[in-house]
Amino acid sequence: MSDSIVEIPAELLGVTQKLANNLAQSEPFLRLKRANRKVESDPQASQLRTEFSLLQAKVRAQQYTSDYSQADVIRLRSLQDLVYKNQALKEQAAAQEDAVNLLRDVNQLISGNIKMDFGALTRRVSDD
């Protein structure tokens, strides 16, 4: 199946752009931007997040191979504790959750009005 180009009426495009602008300026998204900047400006938080993410991906991949490392699992748990205790990362996680919840609420509201899953319209159609 190939992607088709859909002509979006100018009025709908304008309303959609206003919605996107309003969402970007909403308190949950402004809080998320501040939290992201705080993590990026905190070398410890930034390094901790990176190390945790990389090790988490490695451990997930190891689950499907015979190269499973107990030392990596122990280190991952240790890093997880540090992540949960880091104030900047806690604020970022809470802000991300609030932003996602706002998007879910907006999706539900729009979906109820158009009688279909609005969020599903934004997903790329894969080739079958």
Side-chain angles (χ1 to χ4, degrees):
M1 180 185 296
S2 64
D3 292 338
S4 61
I5 298 174
V6 176
E7 187 70 28
I8 300 173
E11 184 179 1
L12 179 57
L13 189 58
V15 170
T16 304
Q17 186 61 48
K18 285 181 185 178
L19 174 62
N21 291 339
N22 286 334
L23 286 172
Q25 295 304 313
S26 68
E27 180 53 34
F29 278 89
L30 292 175
R31 190 170 141 229
L32 179 57
K33 288 176 192 176
R34 287 189 304 269
N36 287 341
R37 282 193 303 268
K38 186 174 182 178
V39 168
E40 294 306 319
S41 67
D42 179 339
Q44 181 185 15
S46 187
Q47 190 272 334
L48 184 58
R49 179 187 60 189
T50 300
E51 185 179 353
F52 177 77
S53 295
L54 291 173
L55 187 55
Q56 186 179 44
K58 180 182 177 186
V59 168
R60 282 186 181 151
Q62 287 175 346
Q63 289 176 337
Y64 302 105
T65 68
S66 60
D67 297 333
Y68 195 79
S69 168
Q70 190 63 29
D72 285 342
V73 172
I74 292 168
R75 176 67 181 145
L76 183 63
R77 287 182 183 143
S78 173
L79 286 172
Q80 188 173 30
D81 287 342
L82 293 172
V83 165
Y84 288 146
K85 291 176 184 174
N86 184 284
Q87 188 61 35
L89 293 173
K90 284 196 305 191
E91 290 173 17
Q92 184 185 46
Q96 286 173 339
E97 185 176 338
D98 289 346
V100 167
N101 287 337
L102 175 61
L103 290 177
R104 281 189 186 125
D105 291 346
V106 168
N107 182 53
Q108 272 189 318
L109 181 64
I110 293 171
S111 296
N113 284 317
I114 66 172
K115 309 290 191 250
M116 64 186 303
D117 183 4
F118 176 71
L121 297 174
T122 64
R123 295 183 190 104
R124 184 176 182 277
V125 176
S126 63
D127 294 333
D128 291 326

